[in-house]
Amino acid sequence: MPSMQSLLIVASFKAFSCLLILFHLVGFFNFRLKLNHTTGLTVGPRRWTSSIWCILHLLLTVLSGIMAKHHYNLLFKGLMITDTMNNYLKYVIGLVTIFVSLADSWFEVEAHRTIWCHYRDLATRYGTIVGLVGRAELAQILLRYIATFLTILLVCAVVECIIFTGLTPGTQWHWFWMHNFYPYTYSHLRHVFHLLHIALMASNLRQLGRKLVVLQQQQQQQQQEALAMERMAELRVLYGELWQINEGINQLFGFSQAFNIACSFAQIAFDLYWVYAMWQKQEERIHLQLYCFFPTPVIIGFLMHEAKNYQLAMDAVEAAVLDMNSSQNPEMVRFRFYFLHQLLRHRLKLTARNIFDFDYTLIRKLVIVILTYVIIFIEISDDK
């Protein structure tokens, strides 16, 4: 009879396979990608037949823009110029984010495929499942990721249901909510997909750190010095492969996440402005606007938290190399110097095309931008 642990492993892999299908259907990749708890990763070539989903979302985005133009009066008629600009920018930024995300998925498909191929090759070499991560640990990572996905889904679903039931059908706000729903959802899914890559990369970095700790223990045994030097050279090569995966992730999510992060914080700024405007007008349904604040901070919070874990894993790798005692072996001193030099020149970090880094400092910077935007629009509206 299967144990509870084996059942959880199978369930986590099955659930994750469903998420891969979802990401495929929204056009995030157009090659065969499967993850099995026994055979590991299967990465196929690019399939043009699968590109239909990317093309479909491109057409949906164009159609959404055409419908918004057709329904312009229903969306913007009667609003003050600042209110119109606020809603217009909110919708347009959402559409642009979809276009850029689809462009990154389409043009960076080989970079994306290479990421998974690297994971598969490392797994074949070390007898694991994804990169350096074995079956049991990967199942835990997938369970946490699925729990995060379900939490985000629950928060978004509850908020959207409250807003949908609270709006009167046929009103201006109802029309705007309907037009903004697709860009809003696509933006959230792109964040969640990026979160997956960060989580997998962080787990591989933790495995590298553990291998370095084992190497430290081997150094303490004089008879294993030759083996320790071989392992040091091997781990340097391994770090280089992880650096290539990291660069692939930054390339894949570069422009799309730059726009997506900007879109997310712009959504907060626009909603914050509307809270002020509705408060000024003493409107009764201001609580519906307040609910709009919940989804984006939850998603960004999960994303920044995982980016922090990634950074901590990288710091642990650096600390493990620095803590190596190589004073009694000149060769180990040289190997250690080369490794530290490699860590210094090719440090792993998450960036959006070097526009900004994914860490908690990003929140502070964008909060300043949000407050600046809201203050400017409030000043303009008060002068009218």
Side-chain angles (χ1 to χ4, degrees), residues 153-170:
L153 179 63
L154 179 63
V155 171
C156 293
V158 169
V159 169
E160 296 301 329
C161 285
I162 291 174
I163 295 174
F164 177 73
T165 55
L167 293 174
T168 304

Side-chain angles (χ1 to χ4, degrees), residues 126-330:
Y126 290 96
T128 51
I129 300 295
V130 175
L132 306 176
V133 186
R135 183 179 294 104
E137 183 177 355
L138 181 59
Q140 295 176 3
I141 295 168
L142 295 182
L143 284 174
R144 286 197 299 269
Y145 178 75
I146 293 166
T148 301
F149 176 83
L150 292 177
T151 301
I152 294 172
L153 179 63
L154 179 63
V155 171
C156 293
V158 169
V159 169
E160 296 301 329
C161 285
I162 291 174
I163 295 174
F164 177 73
T165 55
L167 293 174
T168 304
T171 60
Q172 193 171 47
W173 283 111
H174 185 260
W175 279 102
F176 187 75
W177 175 85
M178 290 176 61
H179 280 77
N180 204 50
F181 181 78
Y182 175 60
Y184 202 56
T185 303
Y186 202 93
S187 171
H188 291 343
L189 285 174
R190 190 66 178 177
H191 279 313
V192 173
F193 192 52
H194 192 201
L195 183 65
L196 167 64
H197 282 275
I198 297 175
L200 289 177
M201 190 63 193
S203 63
N204 276 273
L205 275 175
R206 284 192 291 269
Q207 287 295 327
L208 177 60
R210 290 167 189 165
K211 290 180 181 296
L212 286 167
V213 171
V214 172
L215 180 59
Q216 284 180 315
Q217 297 171 353
Q218 291 177 347
Q219 278 187 279
Q220 298 173 1
Q221 303 177 19
Q222 298 294 327
Q223 67 273 19
Q224 295 192 16
E225 284 187 357
L227 177 61
M229 285 188 289
E230 290 180 9
R231 290 288 294 161
M232 175 73 86
E234 178 187 345
L235 294 179
R236 280 190 60 214
V237 173
L238 183 55
Y239 178 83
E241 293 184 62
L242 292 180
W243 181 83
Q244 290 178 340
I245 296 174
N246 181 82
E247 289 301 295
I249 293 172
N250 290 337
Q251 184 178 347
L252 174 64
F253 291 96
F255 290 123
S256 60
Q257 278 301 82
F259 274 91
N260 208 4
I261 290 290
C263 176
S264 297
F265 281 90
Q267 295 278 353
I268 296 175
F270 300 148
D271 292 335
L272 189 60
Y273 168 78
W274 270 114
V275 167
Y276 170 80
M278 295 174 76
W279 174 72
Q280 286 286 89
K281 298 174 184 177
Q282 298 295 315
E283 295 191 17
E284 296 180 356
R285 296 182 179 179
I286 190 173
H287 66 282
L288 294 178
Q289 191 64 48
L290 290 173
Y291 279 116
C292 295
F293 284 110
F294 286 97
T296 299
V298 169
I299 296 172
I300 296 297
F302 278 121
L303 192 65
M304 293 298 108
H305 176 71
E306 198 60 51
K308 180 64 176 178
N309 290 337
Y310 178 97
Q311 186 62 50
L312 291 175
M314 182 62 207
D315 292 342
V317 170
E318 290 183 339
V321 177
L322 285 170
D323 290 342
M324 286 184 179
N325 182 16
S326 55
S327 58
Q328 298 179 356
N329 189 329

